[in-house]
Amino acid sequence: MASISHSPVGTSASEFLRSSSNGVNGIPLRTLGRARFGSTTRRDLVVAAKIRKVKKQDHPWPDDPDPNVKGGVLTHLSYFKPLPENQKPKPVTLEFEKRLLSLEKKITDVRNMANKTGLDFSDQLFTLESNYQQALKDLYTHLTPIQRVSIARHPNRPTFLDHVFSITEKFVELHGDRSGYNDPAIVTGIGTIDGRRYMFMGHQKGRNTKENINRNFGMPTPHGYRKALRMMHYADHHGFPIITFIDTPGAYADLKSEELGQGEAIAHNLRTMFGLKVPIVSIVIGEGGSGGALAIGCANKLIMLENAVFYVASPEAAASILWKNSKAAPQAAEKLRITATELLKLQIADGVVPEPLGGAHADPSWTSQQIKYAINESMDELMKMDTEELLKHRMHKFRKIGMFQEGLPVDSKKKVNMKMKEEPIVRTSSLTIEDEVKKLMQQRLDAKESSVELPESALNEMIEKLEREVDREYSQAVKAIGLKDRLVMLREEFSKIKLQDQLMPPVLKDKIEKLKDEFAQGVSGAPNYETLKSRLDMLMELSKIKIDSANKKKYARLKQQVNKKFVEIMNRPDMKEKNKALEDEIENSGVSAEDLGPELKEKIVQRKKEIELEMVDAIKALGLDVAAVRPKAKEISEQIPIDVKVKEKELNEEIKGEIENVIKSTDLKEKIEVLKFEVAKAGKTPNVASKNRIAALEQQIKEGLMEAMNSSNLKEKHEELQADISKAIESLENQNPKEDPPKEDESLENQNPKEDDSTYDE
């Protein structure tokens, strides 16, 4: 059948267009039927259609592209453009940042006053701005996990395309999954950084409500993940390294997405990313929610911004599941360990990119540059690997997550269950605890009178109960005074320093002392001051009783050990033989003990000294020191002339002042602080390395002090005073008769005697 190339009579253009779907070659069926029956009427017609004028689009290419546009002409391919001035995002103050509003208001008021009056308020402005910066620093260096979650969700936080256009010289966006849809929640494209070509892909949130609706709040559908998958294959084929940016609450979980295979799309991406032969770097710039983030996050390197979070479930969802209340989100955020620093410790994240104070939205350009440095550093490392090494590196990164070794004992602090059991706080009323303390004291008195030893378990239990009560009362007092936030910040800062084995900086010391002073001044005004004071007094009294009891037991045990050693020494065969020989010699002399001759007396004294020396060695073996104390040494010291005592006191004061000056003018102060830190860190049982460090520091401090003292005239004064004291003691000893050696009990002292207040000991 011949084809008909003209329009028949009576057929309008609109009818032609409407019926084209039902005819053959664009001819209506009715006209085609007439042609078959041999209609002879023919006319040549011209069809003209009027085209409606519409707004000309500048996408993908404008007619007159500006060659001076940052990033080059290719940036016009993306319809992501800077917001107009009237659509700029308004500043948003988070809940925990409201404490800074008063300082901001003061700064604004002073500036307005300076503008209105023309006066110079530069000093006041400088002070206020310094205080504001310090408060901002204190706030953002001690953020809680839930506060970091709030920053990661900040509406003004820079998005994926904001960072891409800041760090790339050229960028062209690639659209579509080649299955009929282009998901705007995931953006992909090719760009260059420092001349290197990369494939970029990431979650894109909106910068205002309208953009968020268009971008589906950064929650991709299966089309988005299939678009990312298509670009992964494209990059793998052409050898482009892949950089992914993660910022999503999670995959879009509506009914339509599930019907289109949301889970299958994510799983397909996970499997494919482990087989890609090009380096992959993932950067978490905001939220990293569950599988929606992991679908483009199976990388060789996972880098997180300082205030970004990466979680399997949002804190609110976890709180609803575990605590049955979404208000427990702060507790859930802490237990989930979702912040960048925590994930870095767990070796899930490979690096943390710093953010400016106030978050990434405070200085987006600076944050983008930090991301650029991290990308270049990671890619420099990964580009050196061959394909096999790169694939193994990616596999081992994920294989080591959650790694454990069988057969090792489990840490008792680790909990098996996800939900940790909370110990109930036992709150005892004031009357009950006072009655218990009185009852315990009466029991101790009765036991003392009846010479029956009361078990210490009741005393220890009461002390623990009082300690809990005192801690609770202290917490309430701190909260009532308004120092709770500062106390929490100082605790976190101190724990970080202790964890890193660093010296406590002077700034932190000043903060702690200032907080102590403020608490001491304001505690009397706390509502629970009287209760706290009574609890503290009871605790101190019971603690003193416990210490005295422990000391008595310790002294009784030492006395028993000393007596046992004495009996062992006296029962030795050689000692018995010598004592027997001396006794026989005294009996053979035929005189009484008062009439013994000088020779026998000297032998008796010599024998006593031998026994004393044996006892000294035995006592030292018990870890004790021996000090031979003369009974009248105190009387002799009291009889020293007054002028000698005055000289001694003046010299002590002079030595003390000289030591203080030496410490202030040299580096000894820093060495003393280091020594204190080493002693505190070593504890009661220091190892060999700690002992060596402590001994070396002590020797350095002693040498420094001796060098300073030798350079002054104090040494001569000390020698003169020592000579005067020796003369006085010698003259007094000549006046007094010679005394016997001290008894055994008088010659024993603990190895750690109490320190006196003399300058020499200091």
Side-chain angles (χ1 to χ4, degrees):
M1 183 179 66
S3 63
I4 301 172
S5 60
H6 64 277
S7 297
V9 178
T11 305
S12 63
S14 60
E15 186 180 359
F16 174 80
L17 294 173
R18 283 198 303 269
S19 59
S20 61
S21 59
N22 298 324
V24 180
N25 294 332
I27 302 174
L29 292 177
R30 185 175 51 186
T31 307
L32 184 61
R34 284 202 300 265
R36 285 179 178 176
F37 285 100
S39 176
T40 57
T41 307
R42 288 190 169 190
R43 290 183 184 177
D44 294 331
L45 299 176
V46 177
V47 179
K50 186 177 181 181
I51 300 175
R52 182 171 58 89
K53 290 185 178 180
V54 295
K55 183 179 178 182
K56 187 176 181 181
Q57 301 292 329
D58 58 356
H59 177 77
W61 290 100
D63 290 336
D64 51 348
D66 185 0
N68 298 321
V69 172
K70 181 182 178 182
V73 178
L74 291 178
T75 56
H76 290 292
L77 284 176
S78 174
Y79 51 84
F80 182 87
K81 296 179 181 178
L83 289 173
E85 290 295 331
N86 57 352
Q87 294 184 14
K88 288 287 184 182
K90 296 180 181 179
V92 177
T93 302
L94 299 176
E95 185 66 30
F96 65 91
E97 293 177 327
K98 290 183 178 178
R99 69 181 78 172
L100 302 174
L101 290 178
S102 58
L103 283 172
E104 291 180 355
K105 189 175 182 302
K106 287 180 182 178
I107 294 172
T108 305
D109 292 343
V110 171
R111 282 177 178 166
N112 292 338
M113 189 181 297
N115 293 333
K116 289 179 181 179
T117 60
L119 300 176
D120 185 14
F121 290 98
S122 57
D123 294 340
Q124 290 83 347
L125 278 173
F126 178 77
T127 304
L128 287 172
E129 289 175 353
S130 300
N131 293 339
Y132 177 80
Q133 290 298 326
Q134 185 61 38
L136 186 67
K137 183 179 179 181
D138 293 340
L139 179 63
Y140 270 83
T141 50
H142 302 90
L143 290 171
T144 61
I146 195 64
Q147 289 172 347
R148 294 193 186 274
V149 172
S150 301
I151 299 171
R153 295 172 176 171
H154 199 286
N156 296 342
R157 194 169 177 85
T159 62
F160 161 53
L161 288 175
D162 287 318
H163 290 304
V164 166
F165 287 136
S166 295
I167 66 178
T168 58
E169 298 90 24
K170 294 180 181 180
F171 178 78
V172 55
E173 184 178 349
L174 304 176
H175 302 269
D177 63 346
R178 295 300 185 266
S179 297
Y181 189 73
N182 177 52
D183 188 355
I186 281 190
V187 175
T188 60
I190 300 175
T192 59
I193 299 177
D194 295 340
R196 286 181 180 174
R197 189 178 291 107
Y198 299 102
M199 173 63 75
F200 292 89
M201 58 186 67
H203 304 96
Q204 177 63 29
K205 288 184 177 179
R207 296 167 292 181
N208 50 41
T209 305
K210 183 179 178 181
E211 285 191 8
N212 268 320
I213 293 172
N214 292 334
R215 300 282 184 181
N216 202 26
F217 294 87
M219 294 184 290
T221 62
H223 302 285
Y225 293 121
R226 288 172 182 138
K227 175 167 69 170
L229 180 65
R230 184 173 75 87
M231 297 307 165
M232 290 176 194
H233 286 301
Y234 183 84
D236 191 45
H237 176 73
H238 292 282
F240 298 156
I242 299 174
I243 301 173
T244 67
F245 286 74
I246 298 171
D247 186 14
T248 180
Y252 193 48
D254 67 331
L255 183 60
K256 188 68 174 176
S257 296
E258 294 299 326
E259 290 175 353
L260 293 173
Q262 184 73 282
E264 182 271 341
I266 293 174
H268 201 170
N269 280 27
L270 296 179
R271 184 183 68 180
T272 302
M273 290 192 78
F274 280 104
L276 297 178
K277 300 176 183 179
V278 293
I280 308 174
V281 173
S282 293
I283 302 156
V284 185
I285 59 175
E287 294 181 274
S290 190
L294 202 59
I296 59 171
C298 296
N300 295 92
K301 294 277 187 179
L302 179 67
I303 302 169
M304 296 181 68
L305 290 187
E306 184 180 358
N307 295 316
V309 291
F310 200 61
Y311 48 71
V312 69
S314 66
E316 293 81 6
S320 300
I321 296 170
L322 299 180
W323 287 271
K324 310 301 181 185
N325 188 357
S326 61
K327 292 183 179 179
Q331 187 177 357
E334 184 178 355
K335 300 300 181 185
L336 286 171
R337 301 177 73 178
I338 58 178
T339 59
T341 52
E342 291 287 350
L343 294 174
L344 185 63
K345 292 177 185 176
L346 295 172
Q347 297 184 352
I348 295 174
D350 299 294
V352 178
V353 176
E355 293 186 27
L357 291 177
H361 54 278
D363 194 348
S365 178
W366 186 86
T367 308
S368 298
Q369 292 306 309
Q370 299 304 312
I371 293 174
K372 181 179 178 180
Y373 298 149
I375 290 173
N376 285 334
E377 184 178 356
S378 300
M379 284 298 178
D380 288 341
E381 178 184 350
L382 297 175
M383 295 288 278
K384 296 177 183 177
M385 302 180 185
D386 57 19
T387 302
E388 185 177 355
E389 190 178 0
L390 197 67
L391 293 173
K392 285 184 179 179
H393 179 274
R394 195 178 307 147
M395 181 193 68
H396 288 309
K397 171 183 168 49
F398 286 88
R399 292 284 291 177
K400 72 180 179 182
I401 294 176
M403 185 183 294
F404 68 95
Q405 185 176 351
E406 293 184 357
L408 296 178
V410 180
D411 188 0
S412 59
K413 294 183 179 180
K414 291 184 178 179
K415 302 296 182 181
V416 177
N417 299 327
M418 291 179 63
K419 184 177 180 181
M420 298 181 66
K421 297 179 181 179
E422 299 179 358
E423 296 181 1
I425 300 175
V426 181
R427 298 188 178 181
T428 313
S429 63
S430 175
L431 180 63
T432 305
I433 201 164
E434 286 182 357
D435 289 344
E436 289 182 1
V437 172
K438 288 179 181 178
K439 183 179 178 181
L440 181 64
M441 298 294 289
Q442 188 62 41
Q443 289 177 355
R444 290 189 65 83
L445 288 175
D446 296 341
K448 191 174 182 180
E449 291 176 359
S450 60
S451 300
V452 178
E453 187 176 355
L454 187 70
E456 292 188 0
S457 58
L459 179 62
N460 294 333
E461 185 178 350
M462 182 55 63
I463 289 175
E464 291 177 1
K465 188 181 291 186
L466 276 172
E467 285 176 349
R468 289 196 299 268
E469 291 290 323
V470 168
D471 288 341
R472 186 171 63 84
E473 297 295 338
Y474 264 121
S475 300
Q476 291 182 359
V478 169
K479 188 176 180 180
I481 299 171
L483 302 175
K484 185 177 179 181
D485 293 339
R486 289 174 57 191
L487 180 62
V488 171
M489 290 166 58
L490 286 177
R491 279 178 176 171
E492 291 179 358
E493 194 170 347
F494 179 76
S495 62
K496 287 181 181 178
I497 293 172
K498 189 176 180 181
L499 185 65
Q500 298 172 359
D501 288 345
Q502 295 179 355
L503 290 176
M504 186 185 297
V507 178
L508 182 58
K509 280 187 178 180
D510 295 340
K511 288 181 182 179
I512 294 174
E513 294 299 328
K514 189 176 179 181
L515 185 65
K516 284 182 180 178
D517 295 340
E518 291 184 18
F519 179 77
Q521 293 174 3
V523 69
S524 57
N528 62 332
Y529 174 68
E530 294 299 331
T531 308
L532 172 62
K533 191 172 182 300
S534 63
R535 298 278 194 279
L536 198 57
D537 292 340
M538 287 189 289
L539 179 61
M540 292 175 67
E541 186 177 358
L542 293 182
S543 300
K544 186 178 179 182
I545 291 173
K546 182 179 178 181
I547 292 171
D548 291 342
S549 176
N551 287 338
K552 286 180 182 178
K553 288 184 177 181
K554 181 180 179 181
Y555 296 148
R557 186 173 65 254
L558 287 174
K559 187 176 180 181
Q560 185 179 2
Q561 291 176 352
V562 170
N563 291 334
K564 184 179 178 181
K565 286 287 183 183
F566 181 74
V567 172
E568 289 177 359
I569 291 172
M570 298 303 293
N571 289 334
R572 272 170 30 194
D574 58 333
M575 298 297 289
K576 282 185 177 181
E577 185 178 351
K578 290 180 181 178
N579 293 338
K580 182 65 175 173
L582 184 60
E583 289 174 3
D584 294 342
E585 190 174 354
I586 292 172
E587 288 180 3
N588 295 333
S589 64
V591 295
S592 62
E594 292 81 5
D595 299 332
L596 291 175
E599 187 177 351
L600 277 175
K601 284 184 178 181
E602 185 65 28
K603 286 184 178 181
I604 293 171
V605 171
Q606 188 65 29
R607 186 72 192 121
K608 284 184 178 180
K609 287 183 179 180
E610 291 177 3
I611 295 173
E612 274 189 3
L613 291 175
E614 292 284 346
M615 280 300 299
V616 166
D617 294 337
I619 291 169
K620 285 184 176 180
L622 296 175
L624 300 173
D625 281 343
V626 180
V629 183
R630 295 183 181 276
K632 294 187 178 181
K634 188 174 180 181
E635 297 179 8
I636 293 174
S637 65
E638 291 176 353
Q639 296 176 10
I640 293 177
I642 300 296
D643 57 341
V644 177
K645 287 186 176 181
V646 171
K647 285 183 180 180
E648 181 183 3
K649 187 175 181 181
E650 291 177 353
L651 183 60
N652 281 339
E653 294 294 331
E654 193 172 350
I655 291 173
K656 186 176 180 180
E658 184 66 25
I659 289 174
E660 291 177 355
N661 293 334
V662 169
I663 291 175
K664 290 179 181 178
S665 61
T666 61
D667 61 342
L668 290 179
K669 187 174 182 180
E670 184 178 352
K671 290 182 179 179
I672 292 172
E673 293 295 329
V674 175
L675 177 61
K676 289 180 180 178
F677 176 75
E678 289 290 343
V679 172
K681 189 173 71 171
K684 295 182 180 180
T685 56
N687 53 25
V688 178
S690 299
K691 286 181 179 179
N692 294 337
R693 286 197 297 269
I694 291 171
L697 286 169
E698 288 177 348
Q699 186 63 27
Q700 292 175 9
I701 293 169
K702 287 178 182 178
E703 290 176 357
L705 286 174
M706 290 300 297
E707 184 179 353
M709 291 301 177
N710 291 334
S711 61
S712 61
N713 58 352
L714 293 176
K715 188 175 181 180
E716 298 176 358
K717 292 182 180 180
H718 182 268
E719 292 175 354
E720 293 176 3
L721 178 63
Q722 196 172 10
D724 294 341
I725 293 174
S726 299
K727 289 179 183 178
I729 292 174
E730 187 177 353
S731 61
L732 291 172
E733 283 182 345
N734 292 333
Q735 297 174 8
N736 296 325
K738 196 171 184 180
E739 297 169 356
D740 294 332
K743 297 179 181 178
E744 293 162 10
D745 291 344
E746 293 173 342
S747 64
L748 297 180
E749 285 190 0
N750 199 318
Q751 189 175 3
N752 297 317
K754 290 185 178 179
E755 297 179 358
D756 50 38
D757 297 331
S758 66
T759 306
Y760 302 104
D761 287 342
E762 294 177 3

